[in-house]
Amino acid sequence: MHRVLANEQLSPNVYRLVVQAPRIAEIRRPGQFVIVHLGPGAERIPLTIADVDAAAGTISLVIQGIGKSTLDLVELVPGDVIDGIAGPLGRPTELPEHGHAVCVGGGVGTAVILPIAQALHARGVAVTSIIGGRSREWVILEDELKACGEVVTCTDDGSYGRPGFVTTALADELARGGVDEVFAVGPVPMMRAVVGLTGPAEVKTTVSLNPIMVDGTGMCGGCRVTVDGIVRYACVEGPEFDGLRVDFNELADRQSTYRPFEKAALEHREACKIGLRTGAPVDAPPVGAGAGARP
Ligand code: NAD
Ligand code: FES
């Protein structure tokens, strides 16, 4: 059992939960994730460990409330408990020893970038973070990243920082030269656009992938992705891969596979809430509401 100690809203649908998990806080390394199981009947959700406080025995999980299971999590309040948190899972980030790294975070993907930027900064690598959101209120973790180096903040609508996608700012950074490595995490179209820039510039690029995951131990095959023409299991061989070798088209296809089930589960959740208020009968929950991609 893991007690929730804090829940802070970071953007219109993104929340930071601070949860008791002393063993994970002690041994986790940047790039790793956990699988969270809220309670009986709940889906198992893979979530990046955005931050830890080893002394306090806590981990921070940044969650985008978009489907039934993630909404159940972001509605937790301090004192609530989560049944199970498995982890840390996945391979830690391979961090360079020196040089200049650019960390690109799109939307909630910025939460995955934060521990990487912190670890790079701690070992003396110069860090430039480029983060983006649809508009000002969707930008997250800007202050935390400023503690690691320069931050270029972009908004799609120009309401804050630099107008445009993170890739526009990255193109300028690459044109200036001196970039040794890029880490990019965010929506698939963003990561695909990033490697569209770093490939021709021949800059090493690491992306963190969030395919559907079920067990997180390499048994179910749900998280398979194709990298350099070879099938890889993101939960045990990733989640980070060489972005220049990832088949993003296949990843986008596989991520959309469970959308109808996710939609049905969300509609059932809403119907239950209305039923509670009005006493209206609610049908049985949909079968196979699907495992989640790492939000
Ligand atoms: P979003 O759609 O609001 O986009 C965030 C930012 O990404 C935009 O502001 C823009 O700067 C950039 N971006 C988006 N589309 C782009 C494109 N076509 N070209 C260039 N840049 C683009 O993001 P969101 O709603 O916060 O969603 C985040 C997504 O990230 C979700 O799909 C989630 O599944 C994914 N995610 C991935 C990981 C991972 O490990 N890869 C982790 C967390 C979240
Ligand atoms: Fe099952 Fe990776 S989540 S094999």
Side-chain angles (χ1 to χ4, degrees):
M1 298 285 248
H2 302 267
R3 192 163 297 280
V4 174
L5 300 181
N7 184 355
E8 176 194 0
Q9 186 168 8
L10 300 181
S11 86
N13 70 359
V14 175
Y15 295 77
R16 171 163 46 198
L17 285 192
V18 179
V19 183
Q20 265 176 345
R23 193 190 64 84
I24 297 171
E26 204 180 314
I27 61 173
R28 92 65 158 110
R29 287 164 62 196
Q32 292 187 298
F33 65 97
V34 290
I35 290 196
V36 174
H37 184 235
L38 181 52
E43 188 183 2
R44 291 155 56 84
I45 316 263
L47 292 169
T48 298
I49 307 164
D51 208 351
V52 294
D53 183 336
T58 60
I59 60 172
S60 296
L61 304 172
V62 174
I63 307 166
Q64 189 176 35
I66 42 171
K68 179 202 176 296
S69 307
T70 49
L71 285 169
D72 288 344
L73 283 172
V74 301
E75 287 178 5
L76 294 176
V77 295
D80 286 345
V81 288
I82 294 173
D83 251 17
I85 301 182
L89 302 169
R91 294 161 70 101
T93 309
E94 283 179 25
L95 298 162
E97 295 294 336
H98 44 72
H100 176 208
V102 175
C103 296
V104 187
V108 70
T110 307
V112 185
I113 281 297
L114 177 62
I116 299 173
Q118 286 172 332
L120 289 167
H121 175 63
R123 58 174 49 205
V125 176
V127 178
T128 302
S129 299
I130 300 176
I131 58 173
R134 288 167 224 172
S135 59
R136 184 180 190 129
E137 70 267 31
W138 294 90
V139 172
I140 63 169
L141 303 173
E142 187 183 25
D143 289 341
E144 289 84 343
L145 282 163
K146 277 184 179 163
C148 306
E150 186 198 0
V151 178
V152 180
T153 305
C154 311
T155 50
D156 303 0
D157 65 1
S159 55
Y160 181 59
R162 220 188 126 135
F165 284 170
V166 284
T167 39
T168 313
L170 175 63
D172 287 351
E173 196 63 41
L174 291 170
R176 264 198 291 280
V179 177
D180 298 303
E181 187 161 354
V182 168
F183 295 86
V185 189
V188 170
M190 183 211 94
M191 293 190 285
R192 188 171 20 208
V194 165
V195 300
L197 296 170
T198 55
E202 298 183 4
V203 173
K204 182 178 178 190
T205 306
T206 300
V207 294
S208 178
L209 303 184
N210 63 333
I212 303 295
M213 286 192 189
V214 182
D215 63 318
T217 62
M219 304 284 279
C220 72
C223 66
R224 61 190 183 276
V225 292
T226 302
V227 183
D228 216 5
I230 298 168
V231 173
R232 301 280 187 200
Y233 289 171
C235 66
V236 287
E237 297 179 275
E240 294 178 3
F241 293 100
D242 177 350
L244 304 177
R245 314 256 170 240
V246 169
D247 184 340
F248 285 110
N249 292 336
E250 182 197 59
L251 177 62
D253 277 356
R254 285 184 54 78
Q255 277 185 332
S256 60
T257 306
Y258 290 96
R259 253 178 223 146
F261 298 105
E262 284 162 7
K263 185 166 173 281
L266 189 57
E267 283 165 359
H268 182 259
R269 181 183 195 273
E270 292 308 311
C272 287
K273 278 186 154 180
I274 293 166
L276 276 177
R277 279 202 307 272
T278 63
V282 179
D283 291 338
V287 176
R294 186 153 46 97

